[in-house]
């Protein structure tokens, strides 16, 4: 399965090469042009049969992880997070270190040895370390030098009848969906960008927006899902199994209302369950794309993922499939309603 | 001036939903400029053609507000902020959705300590009895503005959304009596300023002006036991030195100061410790756009009872006209 | 300048005042200096000083039929204080421009740059009048005031809101090649720019090199955003200060003085090029250290990387102790070695085009 293959590859922000190579190979036969830009974004182009406007679909390749920042005398590795990671989930987890793929574990002081006041506190990343089995600094330095990337070690597994557990569902799920959509040819010019460094500040998308300058951009994401015990229903950002998510506004972007309405109407027409994101926190690549050049009409469609940014994210297969169906329908409707789409775009003239 | 402010401030235009205010402004300036356009994000751009320098003048037309994020089975609406909304200002206020639906903002009574008040334990009551009834009027993602009528209090105007319909009024008045100049002037009524100076960034990229002047409100230091700040209501337009978003370009700052001296109006210097303005986004556009700000001193910013001195606003118009002629 | 020793250049540059947003004077001085080495020098609208050194004629170095463009940038601006208000007794209330630590301010001698320069002292409530709870809390900038001994009426004739205030300092030579002054962050970097120019006059290089002494880094990276957009280079080298080693700091976040520039590694920096810098250092026997940056490096690299269609960026940092005080301390060898390393890296770039 595509998603399984994608989530098993490691691609911490800044080190997306393996993900890029995988995607590149998979889409080589369906894209008209493929390029890797100066910061490492993979951009595919598929010419339209009528080419009346440019649509960009974007998903990020990178995942959260860590980077080696030091070594102790007794061969342990000091590290810092790359991207937003909840330090509570780290103690006792398995990781893969460096390009050589060395197995390691995140260690910390066992509960028996913790002082009373330590027991009540979360362990800070600064006092954690990674053990790859080395006994001396030299050996650790040689095997996992400064600046080597570290990823979570977590298998792709089926959970229950409908769910999937894996690392990096944010945003390999988006990559997988766009790869599916690329198989078709459309009336409009289609650009697909698989971006780098989203997790450390939407870096890749900033230059993608500038380079492509699309008329409409849709970002496909794995998004937070907080329908878990202890959270009130109105604070659920999204709910698992209730279908793909439409975001109206988050911290970084305000989706174009016409585009959002178009997507929502399409979902109803095709009888696809969708939900609106109920929180306005968080952000994604749409934020940078919206603000590139003279401005771009954007929207985000997401698949809910529980325990995002941890080694064990959980996603519903139904939501994933719903998201593909929705996007297929949206692209088809965009073709069927070119006049309407062009009307949406009437203000998009760059040169005032 | 008061009538213009009243018309603009009373219109609906929460960030991201600027359709109504955009139409109102369009009607006010129709026929007074050479060209009017709306860009991809919804900025309204009015151009006075000329063969001289290209000057961009920006005032944001969006206002802060709230967005419906969840509707419970009894019809109560949970919401999120659009722009910076202080929960204590929101408490007990009336909001209005774009379709006119009125709602009361209140909080969960079980809350023991008022300091624990958060927007997430507050709700909007639109008088509906069920989810279905609410959904007929409000759907998730709809925004509402705070209600605050525009009235006169002494020489002060009190209203919601003086931030930045006050600035929009300055632009509208300037357009209605266009200064006699050869400069090409782009009056931009920007969107989504309250969400991070977004419209200003994209509109400036399209225009690439020689310089830019933003008109926005600033805090003041003239109320009881307030934070130290030299700006006072009634002290004249404030010339920005710096805020959180940028340091005013010395050339533009001098242009504004000299213009104020030339027409003999009072002015004051402004250092704002919190917040930013459109100029912050404009000045790092492309290869750089020297930018400055003429600020309207305004009390109680981001509340429904913002207050500003009418004479200050009138003087902002005079000052802007002089800047456009003098550059 | 061509014959000046490195510490003398550093001294010359640290003695200028260039608080973010007010760099005009230093820009003019730097233009003069750059003109000694560069074919073209200009000051842009935001007072960035740009010097262009054209590629050596017979060297390869073409990209898309034109010469490769390398941007080498170090910011010239410094943090400072600003007059916020003058009270009826003549005390000046202050605000900061850039990241000033209020803890270093009490009893500091300062200069207020009004229509003329006026000396002053930063005062605070005396310790015996503090409540115990207050005494343990860190001091805030709002609690401080500048005392000039001049009455309000007189003071207001020369000082107005928005005027700059800078910390008084003296350029001081310490033992073993170390120097202390204000704004060693980042006049060391600007000095390194001049060292690179010196070095490049003796080395063949295939790229057109654009040197930028940039403005407003300490506040909003303004100069970096603007100049990298305007120049549109193929590669950017950012030179800034990093923290020197000091007691009570972690070894992973500080770098030894005198052991060479720290070469940045991390997601926002180009991996292949950073490795090339390290290879050059090894081949040429130039000391270097490694600075791992998990995300934002806190330097102009944050702006250059995502300019236009993206610019592969490398970061060289000069270890500086006591950052953002008036006694910032640097080892002169680190500045020289930064110059040598960057110059040789620039020369290597066009000989080894596959790294681009």
């Amino acid at each position: 399965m595509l998603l399984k293959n994608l989530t098993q590859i490691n691609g911490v922000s800044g080190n997306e090469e393996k993900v890029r190579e995988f995607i590149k190979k998979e889409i080589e036969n369906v894209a008209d042009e493929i390029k890797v830009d100066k910061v490492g974004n993979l951009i595919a182009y598929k010419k339209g049969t009528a080419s009346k406007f440019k649509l960009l679909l974007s998903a990020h390749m990178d995942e959260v992880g860590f980077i080696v920042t030091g070594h102790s005398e007794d061969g342990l590795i000091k590290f810092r997070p790359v991207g937003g990671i909840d330090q509570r989930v780290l103690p006792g987890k398995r990781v893969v270190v460096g390009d050589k793929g060395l197995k390691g574990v995140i260690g910390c002081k066992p509960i028996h040895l913790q002082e009373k006041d330590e027991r009540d506190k979360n362990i800070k990343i600064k006092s954690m370390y990674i053990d790859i089995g080395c006994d001396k600094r030299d050996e650790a330095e040689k095997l996992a030098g400064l600046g080597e990337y570290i990823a979570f070690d977590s298998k792709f597994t089926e959970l229950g009848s409908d769910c999937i557990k894996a690392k990096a569902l944010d945003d390999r799920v988006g990559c997988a969906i766009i790869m599916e959509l690329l198989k078709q040819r459309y009336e409009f010019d289609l650009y697909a960008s698989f971006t780098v460094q989203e997790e450390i500040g939407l870096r890749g998308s900033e230059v993608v927006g500038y380079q492509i300058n699309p008329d409409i951009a849709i970002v496909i994401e794995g998004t937070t899902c907080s329908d878990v015990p202890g959270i009130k229903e109105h604070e659920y950002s999204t709910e698992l199994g209730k279908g793909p998510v439409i975001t109206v506004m988050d911290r970084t972007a305000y989706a174009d209302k016409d585009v959002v309405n178009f997507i929502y109407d399409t979902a109803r027409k095709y009888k696809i369950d969708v939900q609106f994101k109920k929180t306005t926190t968080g952000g994604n690549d749409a934020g940078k794309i919206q603000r590139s050049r003279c401005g771009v009409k954007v929207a985000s469609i997401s698949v809910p993922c529980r325990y995002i940014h941890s080694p064990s994210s959980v996603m519903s297969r139904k939501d994933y499939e719903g998201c593909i169906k929705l996007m297929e329908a949206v692209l088809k409707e965009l073709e069927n309603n070119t006049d309407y789409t062009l009307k949406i775009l009437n203000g998009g003239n760059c040169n005032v | 001036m008061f009538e213009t402010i009243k018309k603009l401030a009373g219109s609906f235009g929460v960030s991201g939903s600027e359709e109504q205010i955009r139409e109102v402004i369009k009607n006010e300036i129709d026929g007074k400029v050479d060209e009017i356009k709306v860009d991809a994000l919804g900025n309204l751009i009015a151009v006075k053609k000329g063969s001289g320098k290209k000057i961009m003048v920006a005032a944001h037309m969006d206002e802060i507000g709230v967005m419906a994020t969840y509707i419970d089975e009894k019809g109560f609406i949970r919401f999120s902020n659009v722009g910076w909304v202080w929960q204590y200002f929101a408490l007990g206020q009336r909001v209005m959705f774009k379709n006119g639906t009125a709602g009361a903002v209140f909080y969960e009574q079980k809350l023991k300590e008022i300091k624990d008040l958060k927007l997430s334990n507050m709700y909007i009551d639109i008088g509906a009895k069920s989810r279905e009834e609410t959904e007929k009027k409000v759907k998730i993602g709809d925004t509402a503005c705070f209600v605050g009528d525009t009235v006169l209090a002494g020489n002060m105007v009190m209203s919601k959304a003086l931030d930045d319909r006050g600035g929009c009024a300055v632009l509208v008045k300037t357009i209605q009596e266009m200064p006699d100049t050869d400069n090409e002037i782009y009056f931009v009524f920007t969107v989504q300023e309250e969400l991070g100076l977004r419209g200003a960034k994209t509109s400036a990229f399209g225009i690439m002006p020689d310089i830019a002047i933003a008109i926005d409100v600033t805090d003041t230091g003239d109320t009881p036991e307030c934070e130290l700040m030299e700006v006072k209501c009634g002290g004249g337009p404030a010339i920005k030195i710096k805020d959180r978003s940028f340091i005013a370009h010395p050339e533009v700052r001098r242009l504004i100061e000299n213009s104020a001296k030339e027409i003999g109006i009072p002015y004051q210097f402004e250092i704002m410790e919190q917040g930013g303005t459109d100029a912050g986004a404009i000045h790092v556009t492309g290869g750089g756009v020297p930018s400055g700000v003429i600020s309207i001193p305004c009390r109680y910013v981001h509340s429904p009872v913002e207050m500003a001195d009418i004479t200050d606003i009138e003087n902002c118009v005079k000052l802007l006209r002089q800047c456009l002629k003098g550059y | 300048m061509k014959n000046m020793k490195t510490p003398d250049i550093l001294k010359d540059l640290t003695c200028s005042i260039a608080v973010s947003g007010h760099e005009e004077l230093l820009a003019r001085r730097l233009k003069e200096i750059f003109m000694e080495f560069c074919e073209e020098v200009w000051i842009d609208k935001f007072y960035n000083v740009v010097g262009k050194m054209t590629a050596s004629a017979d060297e390869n170095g073409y990209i898309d039929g034109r010469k490769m463009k390398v941007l080498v940038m170090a910011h010239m601006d410094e943090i400072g204080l600003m007059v916020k208000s003058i009270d009826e007794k003549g005390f000046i209330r202050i605000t900061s421009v850039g990241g000033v630590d209020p803890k270093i301010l009490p009893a500091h001698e300062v200069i207020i740059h009004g229509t003329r320069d006026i000396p002053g002292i930063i005062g605070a409530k005396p310790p015996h009048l503090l409540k115990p709870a207050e005494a343990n809390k860190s001091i805030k900038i709002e609690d401080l005031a500048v005392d000039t001994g001049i009455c309000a009426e007189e003071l207001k004739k020369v000082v107005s809101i928005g005027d700059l205030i800078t910390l008084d300092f003296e350029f001081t030579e310490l033992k073993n090649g170390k120097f202390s002054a204000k704004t060693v962050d980042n006049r060391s970097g600007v000095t390194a720019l001049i060292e690179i120019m010196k070095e490049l006059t003796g080395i063949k290089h295939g790229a057109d090199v654009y040197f930028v002494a940039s403005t407003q880094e300490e506040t909003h990276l303004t100069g970096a955003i603007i100049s990298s957009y305007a120049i549109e280079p193929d590669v950017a080298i950012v030179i800034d200060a990093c923290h020197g080693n000091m007691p009570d700091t972690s070894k992973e976040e500080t770098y030894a003085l005198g052991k060479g520039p720290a070469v940045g590694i991390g997601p926002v920096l180009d991996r292949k090029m950073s490795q090339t810098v390290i290879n050059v250092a090894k081949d040429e026997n130039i000391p270097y250290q490694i600075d791992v940056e998990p995300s934002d490096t806190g330097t102009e690299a944050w702006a250059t990387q995502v300019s236009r269609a993206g610019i592969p960026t490398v970061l060289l940092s000069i270890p500086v102790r006591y950052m953002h005080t008036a006694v910032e301390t640097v080892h002169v060898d680190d500045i020289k070695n930064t110059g040598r390393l960057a110059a040789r890296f620039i020369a290597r770039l066009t000989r080894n085009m596959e790294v681009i």
Side-chain angles (χ1 to χ4, degrees):
Chain A
M1 187 194 179
L2 180 59
L3 195 54
K4 179 175 177 180
N5 293 334
L6 276 169
T7 53
Q8 293 297 83
I9 308 170
N10 294 331
V12 175
S13 313
N15 190 34
E16 300 89 349
E17 199 170 342
K18 285 183 184 147
V19 185
R20 185 166 54 230
E21 288 312 310
F22 176 85
I23 298 175
K24 201 172 160 189
K25 222 170 134 206
E26 292 284 314
I27 62 173
E28 238 156 23
N29 296 327
V30 295
D32 296 337
E33 273 172 47
I34 295 181
K35 77 163 195 173
V36 177
D37 75 6
K38 287 180 187 172
V39 297
N41 297 303
L42 179 67
I43 301 172
Y45 168 63
K46 207 154 173 173
K47 191 165 172 41
T49 50
S51 299
K52 287 196 175 139
F53 61 93
K54 283 199 271 187
L55 177 77
L56 168 66
L57 297 176
S58 189
H60 67 91
M61 298 188 284
D62 63 314
E63 66 189 287
V64 297
F66 314 91
I67 195 164
V68 176
T69 56
H71 305 85
S72 73
E73 283 310 323
D74 42 7
L76 298 169
I77 293 169
K78 300 300 290 178
F79 64 97
R80 280 170 68 189
V82 176
I85 293 181
D86 180 353
Q87 59 189 13
R88 294 175 310 167
V89 310
L90 298 185
K93 298 300 183 300
R94 282 176 291 113
V95 292
V96 179
V97 181
D99 290 343
K100 295 186 200 81
L102 302 170
K103 295 278 182 182
V105 296
I106 301 180
C108 59
K109 202 196 262 188
I111 187 153
H112 325 74
L113 305 180
Q114 290 172 20
E115 302 289 341
K116 196 174 174 308
D117 60 331
E118 285 179 314
R119 287 191 188 193
D120 296 336
K121 280 186 196 142
N122 292 321
I123 302 168
K124 292 220 166 74
I125 287 190
K126 277 195 170 176
S127 45
M128 294 179 206
Y129 39 82
I130 288 168
D131 193 339
I132 56 168
C134 293
D135 298 319
K136 294 235 163 60
R137 176 194 286 267
D138 293 1
E139 193 189 2
E141 276 177 349
K142 206 176 288 167
L143 289 171
L146 289 176
E148 291 259 24
Y149 290 89
I150 304 160
F152 285 121
D153 183 14
S154 170
K155 286 203 179 65
F156 178 98
T157 46
E158 309 273 337
L159 217 57
S161 57
D162 176 49
C163 289
I164 284 163
K165 180 231 93 177
K167 72 164 178 70
L169 283 172
D170 171 17
D171 182 28
R172 303 295 154 71
V173 63
C175 295
I177 292 167
I178 294 179
M179 288 161 78
E180 293 291 341
L181 297 170
L182 267 175
K183 289 176 183 162
Q184 296 296 319
R185 186 169 295 277
Y186 305 92
E187 199 178 74
F188 45 82
D189 284 345
L190 177 66
Y191 287 84
S193 64
F194 302 90
T195 62
V196 297
Q197 300 176 31
E198 193 265 0
E199 298 291 358
I200 57 167
L202 323 179
R203 309 286 293 164
S205 56
E206 188 160 357
V207 302
V208 163
Y210 182 87
Q211 289 174 87
I212 298 174
N213 196 19
D215 297 303
I216 301 176
I218 302 177
V219 171
I220 314 221
E221 264 278 32
T223 196
T224 58
C225 176
S226 55
D227 58 341
V228 296
I231 307 282
K232 287 184 191 156
E233 197 179 328
H234 72 269
E235 289 175 308
Y236 290 174
S237 48
T238 62
E239 288 177 79
L240 212 64
K242 296 242 171 121
V245 180
I246 302 172
T247 305
V248 177
M249 178 184 84
D250 64 21
R251 204 171 36 74
T252 59
Y254 201 117
D256 184 82
K257 276 202 268 188
D258 292 327
V259 178
V260 163
N261 288 339
F262 187 83
I263 293 169
Y264 184 69
D265 293 344
T266 304
R268 289 178 60 150
K269 182 171 169 190
Y270 286 75
K271 300 198 165 43
I272 301 166
D273 286 334
V274 291
Q275 52 182 323
F276 283 96
K277 192 170 168 184
K278 294 192 201 109
T279 51
T280 53
T281 50
N284 67 36
D285 280 342
K288 289 292 185 188
I289 297 168
Q290 182 189 23
R291 280 182 256 192
S292 60
R293 294 201 184 230
C294 296
V296 176
K297 293 177 182 288
V298 295
S300 293
I301 302 298
S302 320
V303 177
C305 296
R306 286 181 188 155
Y307 327 118
I308 212 165
H309 290 201
S310 89
S312 315
S313 304
V314 171
M315 177 201 93
S316 148
R317 212 187 267 278
K318 216 165 73 194
D319 293 337
Y320 171 66
E321 281 155 10
C323 194
I324 294 178
K325 261 192 225 141
L326 174 63
M327 283 309 300
E328 282 171 348
V330 166
L331 298 189
K332 198 166 160 197
E333 286 296 303
L334 277 175
E335 286 190 313
N336 293 345
N337 293 285
T338 311
D339 290 344
Y340 174 77
T341 314
L342 291 174
K343 219 168 95 192
I344 290 182
L345 296 172
N346 65 353
N349 180 13
C350 188
N351 300 311
V352 180
Chain B
M1 178 56 83
F2 175 75
E3 288 309 316
T4 304
I5 294 172
K6 187 170 176 168
K7 196 182 284 174
L8 298 180
S11 301
F12 184 94
V14 175
S15 310
S17 307
E18 297 91 351
E19 300 83 4
Q20 192 188 99
I21 177 67
R22 187 164 56 228
E23 283 310 306
V24 171
I25 294 172
K26 230 183 194 168
N27 287 336
E28 288 291 307
I29 60 174
D30 204 26
K32 302 280 199 306
V33 285
D34 298 313
E35 196 178 357
I36 294 181
K37 36 176 86 180
V38 177
D39 73 7
L41 292 196
N43 295 299
L44 177 67
I45 302 170
V47 192
K48 184 208 88 72
K49 296 249 162 81
S51 56
K53 300 265 179 46
K54 252 175 144 179
I55 307 175
M56 172 171 170
V57 184
H60 67 91
M61 57 181 169
D62 62 316
E63 65 187 300
I64 58 157
V66 294
M67 178 183 280
T69 54
Y70 176 80
I71 300 163
D72 74 15
E73 66 279 8
K74 287 184 177 154
F76 292 101
I77 299 167
R78 299 290 181 157
F79 64 95
S80 172
N81 58 307
V82 180
W84 187 82
V85 173
W86 202 31
Q87 62 269 36
Y88 302 103
F89 282 176
L91 182 61
Q93 293 296 338
R94 197 201 304 170
V95 292
M96 188 188 74
F97 288 87
K98 196 173 157 189
N99 61 6
T101 304
V105 181
F106 229 76
Y107 70 104
E108 297 169 354
Q109 281 197 341
K110 273 189 184 167
L111 188 80
K112 289 209 174 60
E113 300 269 357
I114 198 70
K115 70 172 169 49
D116 296 330
L117 186 71
K118 288 190 203 113
L119 294 181
S120 62
N121 51 36
M122 298 168 76
Y123 55 84
I124 299 168
D125 184 348
I126 63 161
K129 296 197 172 51
S130 67
R131 178 176 283 156
E132 291 67 34
E133 198 184 332
T134 294
E135 281 173 346
K136 277 182 200 145
K137 291 174 179 165
V138 176
K139 62 180 204 310
I140 290 173
D142 283 355
T143 51
C145 66
F146 289 96
V147 175
D149 292 345
T150 311
V151 295
L152 270 176
N155 197 41
M156 308 273 276
V157 54
M158 185 197 302
S159 175
K160 73 145 174 110
L162 282 181
D163 172 13
D164 184 27
R165 304 292 161 69
C168 292
V170 171
L171 262 63
V172 165
K173 283 286 181 194
T174 309
I175 291 169
Q176 286 171 348
E177 290 171 63
M178 191 71 77
D180 183 23
T181 166
D182 203 25
N183 290 329
E184 183 150 289
I185 305 167
Y186 293 78
F187 295 93
V188 185
F189 299 88
T190 63
V191 297
Q192 299 186 31
E193 190 267 0
E194 300 289 0
L195 302 178
L197 323 179
R198 292 183 192 164
K201 181 173 196 285
T202 58
S203 56
F205 189 92
I207 296 166
M208 285 293 176
D210 295 313
I211 61 162
I213 298 172
I215 318 285
D216 206 337
V217 298
T218 183
D219 294 324
T220 64
D222 59 351
T223 53
E225 294 297 315
C226 65
E227 296 288 333
L228 179 70
M229 191 168 174
E230 284 278 320
V231 177
K232 289 177 185 60
C233 279
I239 302 171
K240 191 179 295 283
I241 289 167
K242 73 178 187 95
D243 61 27
R244 284 290 277 274
S245 67
F246 90 129
I247 299 167
H249 195 281
E251 200 184 302
V252 185
R253 188 176 131 188
R254 274 196 294 271
L255 169 72
I256 302 173
E257 190 183 353
N258 293 338
S259 302
K261 282 180 184 157
E262 280 158 21
I263 54 172
I265 56 159
Y267 66 90
Q268 39 191 343
F269 287 123
E270 170 216 340
I271 295 171
M272 193 164 81
E273 302 277 8
Q274 301 296 333
T277 62
D278 278 343
I282 298 167
H283 91 143
V284 287
T285 299
V289 180
S291 308
V293 181
I294 298 173
S295 299
I296 303 167
C298 180
R299 292 176 184 162
Y300 324 122
V301 172
H302 283 205
S303 82
V305 289
E306 294 174 335
M307 287 174 85
D309 187 287
I310 294 257
T311 312
D312 285 345
I313 303 176
E314 281 164 352
N315 277 331
C316 285
V317 178
K318 288 182 193 157
L319 180 54
L320 178 60
R321 289 168 55 86
Q322 185 66 16
C323 292
L324 297 177
K325 280 197 284 192
Y327 180 64
Chain C
M1 213 34 80
K2 269 181 180 156
N3 304 316
M4 258 166 97
K5 291 209 169 95
T6 313
D8 297 330
I9 303 173
L10 183 66
K11 185 174 180 183
D12 185 309
L13 297 179
T14 51
C15 287
S16 288
I17 305 278
V19 176
S20 311
H22 305 79
E23 300 94 343
E24 204 173 340
L25 269 181
L26 179 58
R28 280 200 230 122
R29 171 76 186 122
L30 283 170
K31 187 180 174 190
E32 280 170 30
I33 298 172
F34 279 22
M35 277 164 69
E36 292 180 38
F37 301 93
C38 300
E39 282 84 1
E40 282 174 68
V41 182
W42 64 92
I43 297 176
D44 77 10
K45 285 180 283 191
F46 282 72
Y47 306 110
N48 296 296
V49 184
V50 189
K52 182 183 172 189
M53 265 179 110
T54 330
S56 318
D58 47 351
E59 281 286 300
N60 181 31
Y62 287 92
I63 290 184
D64 305 334
R66 56 161 176 83
K67 281 284 179 187
M68 186 202 289
K69 286 198 257 183
V70 179
L71 170 69
V72 193
M73 183 153 60
H75 73 88
M76 63 157 128
D77 64 312
E78 65 190 85
I79 57 167
L81 301 169
M82 191 180 261
V83 176
K84 190 177 172 182
S85 164
I86 300 170
D87 76 8
E88 66 278 11
K89 287 163 86 180
F91 285 111
I92 296 173
R93 294 308 183 100
I94 51 180
T95 185
S96 63
V97 181
V100 176
D101 180 359
K103 285 196 276 294
I104 67 157
L105 296 180
H108 218 298
E109 291 178 53
V110 294
I111 300 155
I112 302 131
H113 306 279
T115 50
R116 63 181 162 86
D117 285 359
I118 295 172
I121 306 291
I122 299 184
K125 224 194 238 188
H128 43 277
L129 294 181
L130 291 181
K131 299 189 186 87
E134 271 181 315
N136 291 327
K137 270 193 192 150
S138 65
I139 203 151
K140 291 203 182 90
I141 200 158
E142 312 66 295
D143 303 330
L144 302 167
V146 180
D147 191 344
T148 60
I150 303 172
C151 71
E153 199 188 341
E154 288 301 309
L155 196 61
K156 282 181 179 171
K157 286 179 191 160
V158 275
V159 177
S160 72
I161 291 159
D163 283 351
L164 296 174
I165 302 172
T166 54
L167 301 180
D168 196 21
F169 78 105
E170 207 171 282
F171 187 83
T172 309
E173 180 167 2
L174 306 175
K175 295 282 181 209
N176 300 319
K178 298 192 184 78
F179 293 86
S180 173
K182 76 158 176 67
T183 53
V184 165
D185 162 22
N186 184 32
R187 303 292 152 75
S188 301
V190 180
T191 307
L193 289 186
I194 297 162
E195 292 291 321
I196 300 169
M197 293 176 194
K198 282 188 193 169
E199 294 277 338
L200 277 184
T201 46
I203 306 177
K204 285 198 170 175
H205 57 99
D208 286 339
V209 187
Y210 292 77
F211 291 94
V212 177
S214 57
T215 55
Q216 298 188 44
E217 186 271 351
E218 297 289 0
T219 48
H220 303 95
L221 306 179
T222 309
I225 297 170
I226 287 166
S227 53
S228 50
Y229 185 93
I231 294 166
E232 209 180 347
D234 302 297
V235 182
I237 303 169
V238 172
I239 300 176
D240 207 332
C242 60
H243 292 287
N245 54 347
M246 290 163 285
D248 269 350
T249 55
S250 102
K251 273 196 176 149
E252 291 142 43
E253 286 162 329
T254 57
Y255 304 89
L257 262 60
K259 298 221 167 136
V263 182
I265 297 184
V268 311
L269 303 166
D270 190 85
R271 211 174 177 187
K272 272 191 201 158
M273 288 207 204
S274 302
Q275 191 52 51
T276 306
V277 175
I278 292 169
N279 294 343
V280 171
K282 283 181 182 159
D283 296 347
E284 306 273 348
N285 275 324
I286 301 169
Y288 72 95
Q289 314 179 55
I290 287 179
D291 160 19
V292 181
E293 294 288 348
S295 175
D296 185 359
T297 59
T299 69
E300 292 171 314
W302 189 248
T304 56
Q305 188 205 19
V306 292
S307 180
R308 291 198 189 238
I311 305 169
T313 300
V314 298
L315 172 65
L316 297 180
S317 302
I318 302 169
V320 170
R321 283 182 185 153
Y322 327 122
M323 195 101 76
H324 288 196
T325 69
V327 293
E328 294 175 338
T329 300
V330 69
H331 195 300
V332 67
D333 287 352
D334 292 336
I335 300 176
K336 286 186 194 162
N337 282 323
T338 304
R340 287 173 62 208
L341 180 54
R344 280 161 181 75
F345 169 68
I346 291 166
R348 177 85 59 103
L349 265 179
T350 45
R351 284 176 206 151
N352 187 9
M353 298 285 283
E354 69 271 19
V355 299
I356 305 288

